[in-house]
Amino acid sequence: MPLTGHCLCKAVTYSVDIEQPLMTGYDHCDDCQRQTGSSYSLIALVPKEKLRIYGDIKRWAGTGGSGNVVYRVFCPQCGSPIAHEPNSNPAISFLKAGTLDMEIKETLRPVRITRKILEASQG
Ligand SMILES: [Zn+2]
């Protein structure tokens, strides 16, 4: 079963052709706090080549903690964040795991994010 999810208004849906994320974790970085308005963002690391996004999205290029560009992918209709993608590692995407379908969210096993993953996340 692929991983599937959608934004709040369902104008944007996505599917990832894998059984489980490569990693799921809590990202407490300042950028994720601002984007979500929460104290952290639950992120699910997936290979970008397996990710298909349907519907119109916007990509905002911000600067990550390392000074490199990080794209913030979101629905322009409802504003839901869908993913963030470090320009320095075009092979990966960090899905905003709260947008996954409910039955998938219930199977996630978040881990503490290591510095290495956090640095990869921030470009
Ligand atoms: Zn939407």
Side-chain angles (χ1 to χ4, degrees):
M1 288 281 287
L3 301 175
T4 50
H6 60 83
C7 68
L8 181 59
C9 76
K10 299 185 180 172
V12 176
T13 61
Y14 62 82
S15 176
V16 195
D17 192 20
I18 54 174
E19 293 287 320
Q20 280 288 309
L22 304 178
M23 185 277 310
T24 304
Y26 303 103
D27 190 338
H28 292 85
C29 84
D30 185 72
D31 289 355
C32 280
Q33 289 179 348
R34 289 180 192 285
Q35 190 187 26
T36 61
S38 181
S39 58
Y40 64 84
S41 174
L42 185 64
I43 56 172
L45 176 60
V46 300
K48 205 193 287 186
E49 65 172 2
K50 307 264 188 186
L51 170 63
R52 295 287 175 272
I53 297 178
Y54 306 98
D56 288 333
I57 55 167
K58 275 205 166 180
R59 289 165 66 86
W60 178 73
T63 304
S66 66
N68 292 320
V69 167
V70 176
Y71 294 101
R72 300 268 163 183
V73 179
F74 62 97
C75 172
Q77 297 291 330
C78 68
S80 300
I82 301 294
H84 73 265
E85 299 180 334
N87 192 43
S88 61
N89 193 343
I92 59 174
S93 182
F94 292 90
L95 287 176
K96 301 299 176 179
T99 63
L100 285 162
D101 287 340
M102 191 63 76
E103 64 273 18
I104 296 169
K105 284 193 273 193
E106 290 170 350
T107 69
L108 297 176
R109 296 282 179 270
V111 298
R112 188 173 188 84
I113 292 184
T114 63
R115 173 170 292 278
K116 189 177 165 193
I117 294 171
L118 190 61
E119 286 172 359
S121 160
Q122 296 178 350

